[in-house]
Amino acid sequence: MRLCELREKEVINVCDCKRLGCIVDVEIDICEGRVEAIVIPGPGKICGFLGTDGEYVIPWHCIKKIGPDIILVEIREEKFLQKY
């Protein structure tokens, strides 16, 4: 699967069935040659408007299933939300 194909899929947290958004970046371990995490923009500052003030960095092992349209992850949002 290519990165451009991953970026088209919506990420959903199976713990609360919340839509997190779409992948904007990935973290890669260049020494090992593997994907370490996916990066998704965090929630908006004011009701989803005016950009974001953080991002979700979700480790690859938290991905439960990659389907044709969505990616299912199992996370506690507060643990993986990194503020700027």
Side-chain angles (χ1 to χ4, degrees):
M1 179 174 291
R2 294 176 177 245
L3 178 58
C4 62
E5 293 171 324
L6 276 179
R7 293 181 71 183
E8 295 173 359
K9 300 176 189 294
E10 188 164 20
V11 179
I12 301 195
N13 187 359
V14 296
C15 293
D16 58 6
C17 298
K18 184 177 175 185
R19 296 171 145 180
L20 300 178
C22 294
I23 297 172
V24 293
D25 205 355
V26 294
E27 290 184 2
I28 299 173
D29 180 345
I30 58 172
C31 295
E32 296 289 325
R34 64 177 176 213
V35 176
E36 291 288 318
I38 58 174
V39 180
I40 302 163
K45 291 181 183 176
I46 301 173
C47 298
F49 298 108
L50 302 176
T52 64
D53 60 353
E55 62 189 11
Y56 295 106
V57 179
I58 302 172
W60 189 259
H61 65 83
C62 291
I63 296 174
K64 297 303 175 190
K65 180 83 172 171
I66 299 177
D69 298 325
I70 62 172
I71 298 173
L72 300 176
V73 298
E74 187 173 355
I75 62 166
R76 287 188 333 206
E77 289 184 46
E78 64 275 1
K79 183 177 176 185
F80 295 101
L81 181 61
Q82 297 181 358
K83 299 282 186 176
Y84 296 134

